[in-house]
Amino acid sequence: MRVLDSHLHLWNPSRLDYDWLEGPLANRFTADELAQAPAGTETAAVFVQAECVQAQFLDEVRWVSETAADTGVIGIVAGARLDRGEATIQHLDALAETALVVGVRHLLQGEPLATATTPAFLAGAEALAARGLRFDACVRAPQLPDVSALAAAVPDLAIVLDHLGKPAVGTPSRPQAPDAAWMRGIRELAAHPNVSVKLSGLPAESGGDWDGAQVNPFLDAAAEAFGPDRLLWGSDWPVSAVAAGDAGYRPERRELWARTVEDWAAHRDLDADDLFWGNAARFYGLT
C-alpha cells in the first residue's frame, strides 16, 4: 500500500531548540530513526512543524528541506505566528522562498479560547489564503468552535483539523465513547467545505496503546461528518509512537496505526488509496 503520511514530525535537538521535549521524545528523530518505522511499501510524507523555538522556524524549514531526500518529505507545514501583523507578512514571504512549503501551523492547542478569531489572527489567515497556503489547526476539543469560526471568516483558506481535535478516547481497557460536545463540534466544522480532517493523533491521546474497538467510533464520526474525500491519514510520528509508563518509543506503532485505520476503512468500503494518499495529495497541492 502506498502511503502519503500527512502528519510527520522530525527533530534534532543538536540542531534546533525545543522547549517541550521530555522523556523518550527528548531524543533525535530524523532519517535514521524514521527508516526503522515504515508505514507502507511506498511512503512519502508531509512534515508538520515540531514547535522548535519561534526564532528558529525558518531554520527548521531549511533543515527539513536539506534532509527531504532521505526522509521522503515532499511537503512542509512550517511554523508561523499568524497574529503578529507585519512580522507575520514578512515571515510568510520568507517561507514562500522554499518550494516545499505547502502550509503553516500556528499551534493553537495551548492558546486561550478564541485566539483564532482575533482581528490580528484573521488578518494573518487572510494573508495565508492569499498566498495559496494551507492551515493546520491543532486544537483541543473545546476549541473546535473557534476553528469553525475561522473557516467561516476566511472561506478561501484551506484548513485541516489535526488529530480529530484531540478528543478524550480513554484506553483499550477503559474506552470512552465520543462525547456530545466533540461530536457537535466535528459536525459544525465539517459543514464548512474548506475544512478537512486528519485521522491522526488518537494513539497519543490513548497513551500510546489502543485498539480498533476503542478508536473506531471516533473514526466513524469523522467519516460521517466529513465524507470520504476530506479524510487524511497521518501517523503523528514519533509522538504517537511513545507510550506512557513504559520503556518509551516503539517504532512499530507507526505501521500499527496505519493497519488500524486500513482495517477500519476496509470494513466501511472506503477507498484506501484516497485515504492514505490521494486526499492528502490534493489537500496540500502535491498532485
Side-chain angles (χ1 to χ4, degrees):
M1 179 178 68
R2 67 174 188 162
V3 173
L4 175 51
D5 186 345
S6 72
H7 204 96
L8 178 81
H9 298 297
L10 300 162
W11 56 75
N12 186 348
S14 68
R15 176 74 180 259
L16 300 169
D17 299 318
Y18 309 84
D19 294 336
W20 64 277
L21 290 181
E22 60 182 9
L25 292 176
N27 293 290
R28 188 183 75 169
F29 288 96
T30 58
D32 290 344
E33 293 75 25
L34 184 62
Q36 305 304 313
T41 54
E42 177 188 346
T43 304
V46 174
F47 167 81
V48 177
Q49 65 98 11
E51 202 64 4
C52 61
V53 298
Q54 183 181 335
Q56 295 177 344
F57 280 171
L58 290 177
D59 295 325
E60 182 180 53
V61 168
R62 296 184 189 103
W63 171 64
V64 173
S65 297
E66 291 168 3
T67 61
D70 296 324
T71 59
V73 168
I74 61 174
I76 293 174
V77 175
R81 293 286 307 191
L82 294 184
D83 56 357
R84 299 299 168 87
E86 182 59 30
T88 293
I89 300 302
Q90 293 175 2
H91 184 67
L92 295 180
D93 288 343
L95 290 175
E97 298 177 5
T98 301
L100 287 179
V101 172
V102 294
V104 308
R105 185 169 77 163
H106 175 141
L107 192 61
L108 289 168
Q109 65 181 18
E111 300 272 16
L113 289 174
T115 295
T117 61
T118 62
F121 193 99
L122 292 175
E126 291 278 7
L128 189 63
R131 287 159 174 77
L133 295 172
R134 294 86 177 157
F135 180 66
D136 265 59
C138 187
V139 300
R140 301 194 184 279
Q143 297 169 298
L144 289 174
D146 295 345
V147 184
S148 290
L150 172 64
V154 192
D156 291 334
L157 179 62
I159 300 170
V160 63
L161 176 66
D162 294 348
H163 313 327
L164 293 92
K166 295 196 165 186
V169 299
T171 64
S173 60
R174 301 187 67 179
Q176 291 184 230
D179 67 40
W182 177 80
M183 293 278 286
R184 182 170 60 253
I186 287 292
R187 288 193 296 266
E188 291 174 355
L189 190 55
H192 300 281
N194 54 323
V195 182
S196 298
V197 63
K198 291 184 182 180
L199 305 185
S200 61
L202 296 190
E205 297 307 305
S206 182
D209 291 304
W210 72 93
D211 62 29
Q214 173 199 2
V215 300
N216 285 356
F218 296 88
L219 303 178
D220 286 341
E224 181 179 350
F226 284 91
D229 297 333
R230 290 190 286 161
L231 306 176
L232 289 62
W233 180 82
S235 71
D236 189 33
W237 184 88
V239 178
S240 283
V242 171
D246 69 1
Y249 172 67
R250 293 181 183 172
E252 70 273 11
R253 287 189 173 108
R254 186 179 184 221
E255 186 177 10
L256 178 58
W257 177 240
R259 291 204 307 270
T260 299
V261 177
E262 183 184 19
D263 290 347
W264 164 80
H267 284 90
R268 285 147 184 84
D269 294 323
L270 295 172
D271 187 288
D273 193 62
D274 280 345
L275 179 59
F276 284 91
W277 190 283
N279 292 345
R282 285 188 292 272
F283 177 83
Y284 283 115
L286 298 171
T287 54

